Amino acid sequence: MNEKILLVEDEITLAKALKFSLEKEGFNVEVAFDGEEALKSVDREEPDLVILDLMLPKIDGYEVCRSIRRDSEVPIIMLTARDEDIDKILGLELGADDYMTKPFNTRELVARIKAILRRTVHQPALEKNSIKVGDLQIDLIKHKVTVKDREVFLTSKEYALLSFLASNSGRVYSRDQLLEEIWGEKHSGDARTVDVHVRHLREKIEEFPADPGLILTVWGTGYKFREG
Ligand code: CA
């Protein structure tokens, strides 16, 4: 973990309490008490996520958000009062990623932070060079798959299916989605094509193909790759 969070909040008691809670969760927390400081801090610290109070001295949260968005995609969670215009906050004009209405539950805020960071920091799937889960290793550059350091030979479709599922571990895909993703939109084959490939893959990569631990069946839906 140790992602860096910039907390922009002028209420010192709240800022301190939040900093404490977030640090307990393993985050690195910088605090800025006004909008001016916030913008400097974004430039200097390059945080992984910004928690931004809307009502701030000097430059308000709206303006800070707009300024950040001019040259950064950093995720922003807005802290708002009850009657703020949520459409505006989440819309194109400001482009915040999420918001919380004060007073809020800190655990809920932490949950949302983690959800956003999972999407942005932990899932640079396309930039990763390799995936390792248990005894399985997928070299995404060389398209090489090994189990317990022994190379496993896959067909190109098997490789495509495996690397796709593993790059998106934990996400459930229907057979139709996988057909479209791996075989292309124009593919007119039936969903059993996916089942057959999954069966072959399991025989090659699973320790117990009949009781798979990597490519999991989600009954009534499709498949997913084990998380973590
Ligand atoms: Ca405030």
Side-chain angles (χ1 to χ4, degrees):
M1 292 269 267
N2 281 333
E3 290 95 348
K4 200 186 286 178
I5 295 180
L6 173 64
L7 170 62
V8 189
E9 172 59 73
D10 61 313
E11 287 164 55
I12 293 175
T13 321
L14 178 58
K16 278 187 177 163
L18 276 180
K19 181 174 159 68
F20 178 78
S21 304
L22 296 175
E23 281 175 345
K24 230 172 56 184
E25 293 289 329
F27 298 114
N28 262 324
V29 184
E30 281 287 315
V31 181
F33 294 104
D34 64 56
E36 224 171 74
E37 222 184 301
L39 290 176
K40 281 184 199 154
S41 209
V42 167
D43 277 344
R44 194 180 56 229
E45 307 285 343
E46 297 184 347
D48 296 305
L49 183 141
V50 178
I51 300 169
L52 178 59
D53 184 28
L54 207 45
M55 302 301 282
L56 292 168
K58 297 189 187 172
I59 310 173
D60 72 17
Y62 286 112
E63 197 44 50
V64 173
C65 193
R66 263 185 223 108
S67 295
I68 292 175
R69 272 291 168 267
R70 254 172 239 139
D71 48 26
S72 168
E73 298 277 309
V74 63
I76 299 172
I77 299 179
M78 282 283 202
L79 304 182
T80 71
R82 199 155 287 286
D83 54 351
E84 300 300 342
D85 184 349
I86 298 311
D87 286 346
K88 186 173 166 187
I89 289 169
L90 298 180
L92 281 177
E93 192 187 334
L94 285 177
D97 295 78
D98 205 347
Y99 73 96
M100 301 239 26
T101 304
K102 287 180 173 181
F104 53 83
N105 181 315
T106 307
R107 270 186 304 181
E108 173 71 25
L109 175 65
V110 168
R112 295 201 191 182
I113 291 170
K114 287 181 177 171
I116 291 178
L117 289 176
R118 260 200 304 277
R119 291 202 302 269
T120 55
V121 178
H122 295 302
Q123 287 248 322
L126 295 172
E127 291 159 28
K128 274 207 276 186
N129 296 334
S130 69
I131 295 170
K132 194 174 177 358
V133 180
D135 294 328
L136 174 76
Q137 185 144 18
I138 306 170
D139 185 325
L140 296 171
I141 307 287
K142 296 179 187 158
H143 290 202
K144 191 176 138 185
V145 176
T146 55
V147 175
K148 291 182 177 161
D149 297 323
R150 185 173 44 82
E151 184 162 4
V152 177
F153 296 95
L154 303 180
T155 66
S156 66
K157 287 292 185 240
E158 286 166 0
Y159 175 80
L161 182 60
L162 175 65
S163 59
F164 176 74
L165 286 171
S167 297
N168 297 283
S169 62
R171 276 192 60 177
V172 180
Y173 292 94
S174 70
R175 289 167 177 81
D176 284 339
Q177 282 174 319
L178 291 170
L179 268 181
E180 200 173 307
E181 194 66 44
I182 310 300
W183 281 267
E185 284 174 55
K186 291 189 186 73
H187 186 81
S188 54
D190 68 324
R192 275 176 303 177
T193 305
V194 177
D195 296 336
V196 169
H197 280 77
V198 167
R199 198 175 70 235
H200 290 167
L201 268 176
R202 282 173 172 163
E203 281 160 9
K204 292 177 180 182
I205 65 167
E206 298 277 4
E207 191 173 2
F208 305 107
D211 180 22
L214 295 168
I215 301 176
L216 309 175
T217 301
V218 182
W219 294 109
T221 313
Y223 296 101
K224 71 173 181 182
F225 198 84
R226 171 186 136 186
E227 248 173 312

